[in-house]
Amino acid sequence: MHNQQSTLLKSYLKLLAIASVFSVPLTAIAQSPFKIFSNLFTIPNGYVVTHTNTPPIIDGDINDPVWQQAKWTEDFRDIEGDLKPNPPLQTNVKMLWDDSCLYIAGQIHDPNVWAYLKQHDQVVFRDNDFEVFINPNNTTHQYFEIEYNAVNTVFDLFLNKPYHNGGNAMINWNVEGLRSAVKVQGTLNDPSDIDKGWTIEMAIPFKAISIGNNVQVPTEGTLWRINFSRVEWDTKAENGKYVKLKDKAGHNLPEHNWVWSPQGVVDMHWPERWGYLSFTKSNTNNTAFALPYSEMQKRYLWLIYYHEKKWHQQHQIYTPLLNAFALDNSITIDNKVNELRIEATEHQFIAFIKDKQDNVTWAINQEGLIRQYNINSDE
């Protein structure tokens, strides 16, 4: 016991020593505490998805009357957002839902439509593709990825957590009951003509993406995290086929990554950067998405997470000291006072935010798992 106490004391003294020589420059957060990680704190896009009593026919034709009740998303942008120019080719998505499925329609404008991969679970983004990322529980863990190319080849997988937090892809997982169809507006795999693009429709059963034994059907106000990505390769025509352009060393030129809600980094596996999907059964013609109060609270948890990761890279230890990041333990969000605190050891941390008038505490750990705690529970 004495040795354990001595080790803890040494760790604490080490933290104090680190804190005395390291802090986030106040000038870096003069305007906002999020300024130092500004690329990771743009507000994600949001979409209010309408309930339908008449599901669309999944045939790749997105001109069905039922789709007229759904709005198109904003045009896709570069994955890094304002750090890069807007894409030269337009991509948009619209969505609907009923009590069994989420329905997605995608419009991919492209003068050169091609796809050569035809086997299920081949790595579809090696062709030009359209991708869907879904995190129904809004924890950034236990999420789903579905990819399509222009011949409707599917690559679907489940991840327990993001790769950079030690996650593993379960590629043998399949979206049970998934239906999808593609239509090409032009001629597939023909470089001699100019195409308009391709459209895709899909029906994703809630049963297939429910965690646990109960089917998790959304209700009014249910909030998911979702994003869409389009991978586009630079190509040339060669012997009647599309061939990827290569650099001087013979490697393929990097692909373009265009997304609905910019990530801020060239990596789709940061679920905290995905857009928001809010479910409703009311008319959404004049309904705009509003960021919920709880999501504004979570922004501070993610701020601590990014700081802690940077701190650990530099010092091989996590810190419980908020002032190491120039943060106070009391902050105001939407005119409500919140309390921040961190518990940390050398290898782990957990950060909490609590509304002093609320009975809910939110927390995040070193793996980016974000969860809700009851204020009266043992934290």
Side-chain angles (χ1 to χ4, degrees):
M1 179 66 69
H2 175 75
N3 289 337
Q4 183 180 12
Q5 291 177 336
S6 176
T7 300
L8 289 172
L9 178 60
K10 288 178 181 179
S11 296
Y12 182 67
L13 291 174
K14 182 179 179 181
L15 285 170
L16 291 178
I18 292 172
S20 68
V21 297
F22 179 87
S23 64
V24 178
L26 292 177
T27 54
I29 58 169
Q31 297 178 357
S32 164
F34 306 103
K35 184 176 178 61
I36 191 170
F37 301 109
S38 59
N39 62 309
L40 298 175
F41 282 99
T42 56
I43 301 297
N45 290 334
Y47 189 95
V48 181
V49 58
T50 302
H51 187 273
T52 180
N53 293 319
T54 305
I57 298 170
I58 305 301
D59 58 4
D61 182 356
I62 60 174
N63 295 312
D64 295 352
V66 64
W67 280 118
Q68 303 311 308
Q69 63 184 298
K71 296 180 180 179
W72 286 110
T73 62
E74 301 87 346
D75 292 349
F76 281 25
R77 299 174 57 200
D78 188 87
I79 193 171
E80 295 186 80
D82 291 339
L83 297 177
K84 294 291 178 65
N86 287 330
L89 300 175
Q90 185 178 351
T91 315
N92 304 93
V93 170
K94 59 172 59 176
M95 288 171 275
L96 292 167
W97 70 291
D98 62 16
D99 293 338
S100 65
C101 294
L102 174 67
Y103 302 99
I104 299 172
Q107 173 72 71
I108 300 97
H109 295 271
D110 197 334
N112 302 296
V113 180
W114 60 274
Y116 297 121
L117 299 176
K118 297 182 179 179
Q119 183 177 337
H120 180 257
D121 277 346
Q122 285 185 283
V123 183
V124 168
F125 65 78
R126 291 174 181 166
D127 284 347
N128 289 346
D129 82 343
F130 175 81
E131 305 176 358
V132 184
F133 297 82
I134 303 176
N135 181 212
N137 59 24
N138 194 11
T139 64
T140 76
H141 285 208
Q142 298 178 322
Y143 62 89
F144 308 90
E145 177 181 353
I146 311 170
E147 303 180 3
Y148 293 92
N149 63 9
V151 291
N152 198 32
T153 301
V154 181
F155 179 31
D156 47 2
L157 55 153
F158 169 82
L159 285 97
N160 60 331
K161 55 187 173 181
Y163 293 117
H164 62 267
N165 282 316
N168 294 298
M170 186 184 296
I171 296 176
N172 63 352
W173 172 84
N174 297 319
V175 187
E176 184 179 353
L178 175 70
R179 291 174 288 134
S180 61
V182 167
K183 277 197 172 182
V184 175
Q185 291 78 53
T187 309
L188 182 71
N189 296 332
D190 184 358
S192 67
D193 65 0
I194 297 177
D195 308 310
K196 291 184 178 180
W198 54 289
T199 52
I200 182 167
E201 280 183 300
M202 66 188 78
I204 302 173
F206 295 126
K207 180 179 180 180
I209 55 174
S210 292
I211 302 297
N213 295 323
N214 297 321
V215 179
Q216 297 161 19
V217 178
T219 58
E220 184 72 28
T222 293
L223 192 68
W224 288 8
R225 301 304 294 271
I226 193 168
N227 212 351
F228 303 93
S229 174
R230 172 181 176 178
V231 169
E232 189 79 8
W233 296 88
D234 291 321
T235 62
K236 64 178 180 179
E238 189 174 284
N239 298 323
K241 294 186 64 175
Y242 291 100
V243 177
K244 296 175 186 175
L245 298 185
K246 300 182 182 297
D247 60 21
K248 293 181 179 179
H251 303 126
N252 294 331
L253 293 181
E255 76 279 9
H256 303 284
N257 295 278
W258 302 330
V259 303
W260 168 50
S261 191
Q263 295 285 107
V265 292
V266 187
D267 188 347
M268 288 302 298
H269 293 274
W270 291 49
E272 70 271 24
R273 298 295 304 141
W274 297 351
Y276 292 96
L277 184 63
S278 178
F279 291 82
T280 184
K281 290 190 175 182
S282 62
N283 190 310
T284 62
N285 288 338
N286 297 307
T287 303
F289 176 79
L291 192 67
Y293 172 66
S294 60
E295 296 303 310
M296 291 189 275
Q297 291 177 292
K298 292 175 190 177
R299 284 166 60 83
Y300 283 88
L301 295 181
W302 285 111
L303 179 61
I304 293 171
Y305 170 87
Y306 298 137
H307 274 301
E308 287 281 13
K309 287 298 183 179
K310 183 177 180 181
W311 180 280
H312 196 274
Q313 287 176 353
Q314 295 174 333
H315 306 290
Q316 292 75 55
I317 194 170
Y318 293 113
T319 175
L321 303 176
L322 283 164
N323 60 9
F325 311 138
L327 291 172
D328 294 326
N329 65 353
S330 182
I331 57 172
T332 300
I333 304 171
D334 200 21
N335 297 318
K336 299 177 182 179
V337 177
N338 282 255
E339 179 182 69
L340 284 174
R341 66 183 177 91
I342 309 173
E343 297 175 4
T345 66
E346 186 173 352
H347 303 293
Q348 297 176 314
F349 80 87
I350 185 167
F352 302 91
I353 187 167
K354 178 176 66 177
D355 185 321
K356 291 189 175 181
Q357 294 181 335
D358 201 349
N359 62 354
V360 172
T361 297
W362 292 97
I364 194 170
N365 68 8
Q366 73 283 346
E367 292 188 337
L369 175 62
I370 199 155
R371 297 177 60 193
Q372 178 180 307
Y373 284 73
N374 291 326
I375 195 170
N376 295 322
S377 67
D378 183 7
E379 297 176 349

